[in-house]
Amino acid sequence: MAKWGMVIDLEKCTGCQACTTACQMENNRLPGESWQDVLFYTEGKYPNAQMKWIPRPCMQCENPSCVTVCPTKATYKTEDGVVLVDWNKCIGCKYCMIACPYGVRFYTDEKPLIEPNVKDVFKGDGDLTWNPPYKGPQQDNTKGIGIQPSGVVSKCNFCYHKISKAPKGTVNLSNDDPALREFVPACVRTCAPTARYFGDLDNPNSEVNRIIAAKKGTRLLEHTGNKPQVYYVTGAGAAGGTVIPGGRSSKDKA
Amino acid sequence: MNILKLEVSRRRFLQATGTVGAVGAVGLAGTKLAGFSTLSEAQAAAPGASAETVITKNVCAQCPARCGIDVYTTNGKVHAIYGSYDHPISNGKLCPKGHLGTYLLYDPDRFKGPMKRTNPKKGRNEDPKFVPISWDEAFKTVADRLNVLRDKGESHRFAFLFGRGWGPTDVGLYGPFGAMYGTPNAPIGHSSMCADASKLAREAQEGFYDYHSYDYKNTNYLLNFGASYLEAFRPYNYLMQMWGHMRTKSPQTRVTTVEVRLSTTAAASDRALFVKPGTDAALALAIAHVMLTEGLWNKNFVGDFADGANHFKVGMTVAAAAAEAAKAAKAAAAAAPAVAATAAAAAPVKGKGAKTVVLPTPPGAFNEKWTLGLVEWWDTVVKSATPKWAADITGVAAKDIVTVAREFGTTRPAMVIQERGPGSHSNGTYNCMAVNALNALVGANFAEGGVMHHSGAPYGKLPVDYNEFKDDYAKSDDRKKPRIDLVKGPDLPLAKNGMQDIAKNHLAGKPYKLDTMLFNMTNPIFTAPDCKVWEEALKDIFIIGTSPYPDETNMYADLVLPEHTYLERLQVCADQPIHGYPQAHLRTPAIKPLYDTRDFADIIIEIGKRMKGPMAEYYKALGNHENLVRALAKGFEAKPGSNGVNSFESWKQKGVWFKTPYAFRQIRGEFFEWDGKAYAKPMTEADVKYKLFKTISGKFEFNSNLLRGNVMGKKKAPDGSYMKTADGKDVMELQKKDTDAFINKKLGVTLEQTGFPQYIPAKYTGGGDLHFITPKTAMNAEGRSANIPHAIALQQPSVGGRTTVYLEINPQTAKAKGIRNNDKVRIKSALGTIEAYARLTEGARPDTLVLPFAHGHWAQGRWAKGRGPGHSGEITANQSDPLSGLASYYTGMVSIEKA
């Protein structure tokens, strides 16, 4: 069984947010409910100001604090290393949202970011909170896949409806292999500068492990002990020589 | 209680949706992608297989890039779009807009069929009171109106306006319609509101009126003048793929970006030079100055001084510098005769005793190879364009200019890219020429890692020739009327389009008043500079809109003839310059049209069939849009693409025909053609002139013949008839036009200097104390995502936000004006006032405000309409570069105050 993990290379990332929109359409997210967000920030003074950015999916922690605090065991870790939410069990208490150090969880019934509310325009039927006309065929409430019912928390699931169908023994889940393309997570598949890599963290020969080693991969907020399965790498070609927030930089600043 | 209720209903929901989930799982199972098939296979599949996911090939329509897309449809519903693999532009990837395309199909505000206006009053707040009509009535209404106009001898009062054109099945139909009907205004494109300055610059210098193609993969230095490479430059998706490559290859491609703000591109580059808007030429000239004085030009391509010395000396003409050098050498020889004598004595020994005849060369003689006029350009313009001079004009530090010039001049391959950053000013063409001249100095033209001229695809011919369907009326001299935008007349002799002036010209009745206009993929009533003039002008014109969306043009429309959205079309998309080699893209409908809309080609054909006279026969012979596509595809039978496409069916299946590699290559100053295996077939100077540099000199012209008024024209015999060669071709001769006098009159350039890239101060408009820059954001580059709520939620990064876009202002400037972060502000120019929310950022020049372009719709759908901020076009003056005709979008000045 693979332990799925992701590497994001900030040296290549252009901050375009295609990961965000690909995820939104693949997973039927509401406007602004960006499971895979990109955060921008500026530093310094004109004319030496720098703008930097960092994409932020769910870290799919090895030691997920959201799982620990969930009172109904709705949030759980799968055998292949992904943190999922069972919408049939979630009671919307939001403990997980507070416990998550990375801010990557979303509650369904927030005030809409954009008016008119798409939930009113594309009304859901039955338990669907909304029903966009382009809704994909996949729906599995036990894994937090598809459109959520009201009153629950949702999050990035590494496109579990795709990756869980990858052939057994897959090491690198990459576009490079035509037979695997349909199983690659939406954000990884579309990333134009190829700043994302996906594969088995348990296999020492996987591409993700090679890049983590070669470019000194680091994880966000290591001190929390959550041990994310999303690694960041960077290099001299990054925007403003981007340093990974809260982590080591592979660029020697000294 | 509430929780329990939810729980119950959720279980019921699960039961209801369980089957859908299972079917989806079956469709995706297995390693062989069971359930996924290309369209042609799917069509062959049993009709019972309704749960199959079908992938159709299409071309994204949200910008001009031509990204091939895979459209996923299950049970008749389009639910996903991904980039096509094995596609030369998308390579399986997409930009952020691409994925949102399904929204454009299912936009709830789309027109459901043709509409007729019943409220004769027009205005922002007038409800058009549309009522549905039949397509037959719609076509008849248009044809009757055009027939009446023609009967009165006023067919020139009909105009076709188009914006994003796709190719021969839309743009290709306008010209024939205009020619047979008898109007000079078919079509008028939007290019003068796009980037015509760079195109004219290339025509002036390279004989090529178009965009460059770029070999990003192999370049080691990218000097970028105002191209928003990581936001809106085309093709964004491919550019990002190349960015990932360039930034991690060895050696890493170094990028310097010249910008007026801290854009994403500037932020991601190695160096950002923040230039004062409209002064790009000064910076480019100073870079050239340093490269020349320090001997960093590409000698293989440009050539060198005959004596091998460098006579480009600061502030001196080449002749003066060479004379001084000769004098100094003489003096040195006199001072040290022994050394000179030794050297002279040693020379014959080196030549193995052979007698060397040294021909006297004039001091400072320069043997120019593939360029024309370098020394003259230096003497006239560049010799005094020092870094210090440029620093005073541009605000960029002299030491940074020197550093960039040295880097750019010593890294090979290197190239310059640019677009409307330098171009959208009154001095746009000369800015773009100065920037483009740097490409020639480093020998980037047709070199590996350099710039190219793209080649067209070998489409088949249409079954009928419209020239045979012109009647006497269409052919009569009376039909030779000026265009409504006055291009090609005395005021705009070099411009190709002048769409932004149409409203103004119509209101003034100069050259005449329009009667009827048809719009496709363009919305100047919202996007043109000084757009409010259009709101007056379009009141008394019969407007035919073809957008399927309720945009501003359609709010003024008398008839709405909604075309299909792109996912419903069978449409040819000709290529845009990018790789140099030819490409032809094809849209295939993913589903049957959702509503009673029509293919755009069929709209034109059906109107045509209802016209009086022989032109109706032409359109009857064409039949419908599919006939057009099939006829065009015939061309691939004899010339199959590199991906095997050789027919209509295979084109549909793959979505693209292309032929690699690019046919030409300049290698160290020698030109070669691809011989099937390598760039090994040498090209003569005549080959290069005929195929690549189509200038009079057959070279890259630092001193442009075109802008000096030198053109090749048909030679006339004494009796006034055109002379012919023995084989019936026109005899061509060098002729003189008064282009130089025109430029002298419009821009004050002396008659001797009109051919040179040079800095002319921009004419800023609007009257305020701050520059006003209106860039395009990545999420809304061509404005087609305005009504997509997901796009609105992602307008970041710098000027953007999560629900709106902001006015970017430097904190020092804001402080002086008493403006705090998120304050509502009023931005004023001589044209009026708009409102926005301020975002204080250190990424803004203190003298420049930044507000993204094409936000602030007053129509376009429920999410776009009325969403702030104010629209930049309302306070941007309608001024154009007199040479290219390009609207000076970035030349406005404004003042700001807290609202």
Side-chain angles (χ1 to χ4, degrees), chain B residues 567-894:
Chain B
L567 301 181
E568 301 163 306
R569 290 181 199 162
L570 177 69
Q571 187 175 44
V572 177
C573 298
D575 62 339
Q576 289 269 338
I578 174 60
H579 295 107
Y581 59 78
Q583 303 171 20
H585 308 269
L586 185 66
R587 294 198 168 107
T588 303
I591 54 169
K592 281 190 184 135
L594 288 179
Y595 305 114
D596 187 15
T597 55
R598 288 289 176 99
D599 186 279
F600 181 72
D602 286 344
I603 293 175
I604 301 300
I605 291 169
E606 289 303 319
I607 293 169
K609 285 177 185 171
R610 289 162 174 80
M611 297 300 297
K612 282 189 196 167
M615 72 185 284
E617 299 309 313
Y618 171 78
Y619 288 103
K620 281 172 194 161
L622 283 186
N624 61 44
H625 72 282
E626 187 172 328
N627 291 343
L628 294 177
V629 180
R630 285 181 180 277
L632 293 161
K634 284 259 177 217
F636 305 145
E637 288 175 5
K639 293 186 175 167
S642 300
N643 59 347
V645 166
N646 61 357
S647 64
F648 175 67
E649 288 304 330
S650 56
W651 197 15
K652 265 172 83 173
Q653 203 181 346
K654 303 249 176 161
V656 60
W657 172 99
F658 62 92
K659 187 81 183 152
T660 55
Y662 184 58
F664 311 101
R665 173 74 41 97
Q666 178 251 122
I667 302 167
R668 287 186 285 280
E670 306 295 330
F671 280 84
F672 297 92
E673 253 181 282
W674 182 256
D675 69 358
K677 284 178 190 157
Y679 293 105
K681 191 179 154 198
M683 294 173 78
T684 63
E685 284 200 17
D687 288 338
V688 173
K689 178 174 174 165
Y690 179 67
K691 294 174 177 172
L692 300 174
F693 288 131
K694 295 176 185 173
T695 52
I696 287 180
S697 64
K699 295 180 174 175
F700 184 101
E701 298 188 342
F702 288 120
N703 190 3
S704 167
N705 271 301
L706 179 75
L707 297 191
R708 281 184 283 161
N710 299 332
V711 293
M712 296 304 289
K714 288 188 221 171
K715 191 173 184 178
K716 275 186 181 174
D719 67 350
S721 66
Y722 291 118
M723 289 171 71
K724 301 276 181 191
T725 59
D727 52 350
K729 284 182 184 160
D730 290 313
V731 178
M732 303 300 281
E733 62 171 357
L734 187 66
Q735 293 174 352
K736 181 77 181 73
K737 281 185 157 186
D738 59 356
T739 313
D740 47 354
F742 170 79
I743 296 173
N744 171 263
K745 193 177 109 194
K746 289 286 180 179
L747 292 172
V749 176
T750 63
L751 290 172
E752 296 74 34
Q753 291 196 23
T754 56
F756 298 119
Q758 58 196 290
Y759 171 67
I760 306 162
K763 265 194 257 170
Y764 300 114
T765 61
D769 59 335
L770 295 166
H771 293 284
F772 185 53
I773 296 295
T774 56
K776 296 174 174 183
T777 57
M779 206 54 79
N780 193 40
E782 282 207 356
R784 293 199 256 295
S785 55
N787 198 43
I788 301 179
H790 290 77
I792 295 166
L794 295 170
Q795 285 300 331
Q796 53 179 7
S798 59
V799 283
R802 300 218 178 242
T803 56
T804 184
V805 293
Y806 291 91
L807 178 87
E808 204 176 78
I809 183 170
N810 184 284
Q812 295 294 325
T813 314
K815 196 177 172 191
K817 309 266 179 189
I819 292 164
R820 290 169 306 172
N821 210 23
N822 289 330
D823 274 353
K824 196 177 202 183
V825 292
R826 272 191 293 270
I827 313 159
K828 286 185 180 178
S829 81
L831 275 70
T833 304
I834 57 169
E835 289 188 338
Y837 290 93
R839 171 71 54 90
L840 274 55
T841 170
E842 293 286 352
R845 280 177 66 92
D847 63 355
T848 302
L849 300 178
V850 181
L851 182 71
F853 177 70
H855 292 266
H857 278 278
W858 52 270
Q860 190 73 38
R862 69 188 74 186
W863 286 287
K865 186 180 174 179
R867 181 174 296 281
H871 179 226
S872 59
E874 290 178 19
I875 57 168
T876 303
N878 182 12
Q879 172 189 276
S880 305
D881 164 19
L883 305 193
S884 67
L886 179 63
S888 301
Y889 272 108
Y890 301 151
T891 211
M893 301 289 287
V894 294

Side-chain angles (χ1 to χ4, degrees), chain B residues 178-309:
Chain B
M180 290 183 288
Y181 177 64
T183 174
N185 301 312
I188 295 178
H190 79 294
S191 64
S192 60
M193 290 153 69
C194 189
D196 272 355
S198 78
K199 290 198 279 187
L200 181 59
R202 289 180 200 106
E203 185 180 28
Q205 296 178 321
E206 302 174 30
F208 176 70
Y209 187 85
D210 210 328
Y211 300 107
H212 271 149
S213 298
Y214 303 97
D215 182 11
Y216 295 114
K217 202 167 243 171
N218 293 304
T219 199
N220 287 332
Y221 201 99
L222 203 57
L223 178 53
N224 169 19
F225 277 78
S228 44
Y229 192 95
L230 296 181
E231 292 107 316
F233 200 42
R234 171 193 54 77
Y236 182 34
N237 173 13
Y238 181 75
L239 298 181
M240 291 195 289
Q241 295 166 32
M242 288 299 103
W243 189 266
H245 167 75
M246 291 190 295
R247 303 302 278 168
T248 51
K249 78 177 175 62
S250 180
Q252 189 175 73
T253 306
R254 201 161 177 80
V255 185
T256 290
T257 289
V258 179
E259 253 298 353
V260 295
R261 59 184 276 260
L262 183 63
S263 62
T264 311
T265 311
S269 302
D270 293 293
R271 185 186 291 101
L273 301 180
F274 294 111
V275 71
K276 184 178 147 109
T279 65
D280 302 71
L283 183 59
L285 292 173
I287 290 171
H289 177 95
V290 174
M291 288 173 67
L292 292 176
T293 53
E294 299 194 1
L296 302 179
W297 72 92
N298 185 326
K299 285 161 187 135
N300 289 324
F301 182 78
V302 178
D304 199 0
F305 286 103
D307 60 6

Side-chain angles (χ1 to χ4, degrees), chain A residues 9 11-22 24-26 28-32 34 37-40 42-53 87-91 113-118 121-122 125-128 130-142 147 149-152 159 161-162 165-167 175 178-183 185-186 188-194 215 235-240, chain B residues 3 6-11 13-14 17-18 20-21 24-26 28-33 36 53 55 70 72 74 77-80 82-83 85-86 91-103 106-108 230 236-238 240-245 247-248 252 262-265 267-270 272 274-275 778-779 789-798 802-803 810 812 841-847 862-863 867:
Chain A
D9 188 345
E11 189 171 28
K12 289 175 161 187
C13 176
T14 59
C16 77
Q17 307 185 95
C19 48
T20 309
T21 62
Q24 287 189 311
M25 299 316 271
E26 181 67 37
N28 309 294
R29 294 300 90 205
L30 294 164
S34 304
D37 208 347
V38 183
L39 312 176
F40 293 86
T42 47
E43 290 174 347
K45 298 271 181 198
Y46 179 87
N48 298 315
Q50 292 182 338
M51 180 166 60
K52 303 174 181 184
W53 49 85
W87 287 332
N88 291 333
K89 291 180 180 168
C90 177
I91 57 171
L113 182 69
I114 305 292
E115 296 277 6
N117 190 350
V118 292
V121 178
F122 305 116
D125 42 7
D127 222 2
L128 289 179
W130 69 308
N131 193 15
Y134 52 78
K135 186 193 172 307
Q138 70 282 353
Q139 181 77 38
D140 185 346
N141 282 23
T142 65
I147 290 179
S150 62
V152 301
C159 281
H161 59 286
K162 286 172 170 279
K165 297 189 182 77
N175 293 346
L180 295 179
R181 285 166 183 169
E182 294 298 337
F183 312 119
V188 178
R189 177 173 176 178
T190 201
C191 181
T194 317
K215 293 186 89 168
Chain B
I3 290 169
L6 275 173
E7 194 63 26
V8 171
S9 61
R10 214 168 294 142
R11 288 215 181 90
F13 165 75
L14 244 194
T17 55
V20 176
V26 167
L28 282 159
T31 56
K32 291 283 182 190
L33 300 185
F36 287 88
T53 296
I55 298 172
D70 285 2
Y72 286 65
T74 306
K77 254 190 195 180
V78 177
H79 55 86
Y82 286 97
Y85 294 99
D86 311 316
N91 295 306
K93 311 299 184 83
L94 274 185
C95 88
K97 296 181 292 295
H99 295 283
L100 301 175
T102 38
Y103 227 101
Y106 293 114
D107 186 329
L230 296 181
Y236 182 34
N237 173 13
Y238 181 75
M240 291 195 289
Q241 295 166 32
M242 288 299 103
W243 189 266
H245 167 75
R247 303 302 278 168
T248 51
Q252 189 175 73
L262 183 63
S263 62
T264 311
T265 311
S269 302
D270 293 293
F274 294 111
V275 71
M779 206 54 79
H790 290 77
I792 295 166
L794 295 170
Q795 285 300 331
Q796 53 179 7
S798 59
R802 300 218 178 242
T803 56
N810 184 284
Q812 295 294 325
T841 170
E842 293 286 352
R845 280 177 66 92
D847 63 355
R862 69 188 74 186
W863 286 287
R867 181 174 296 281

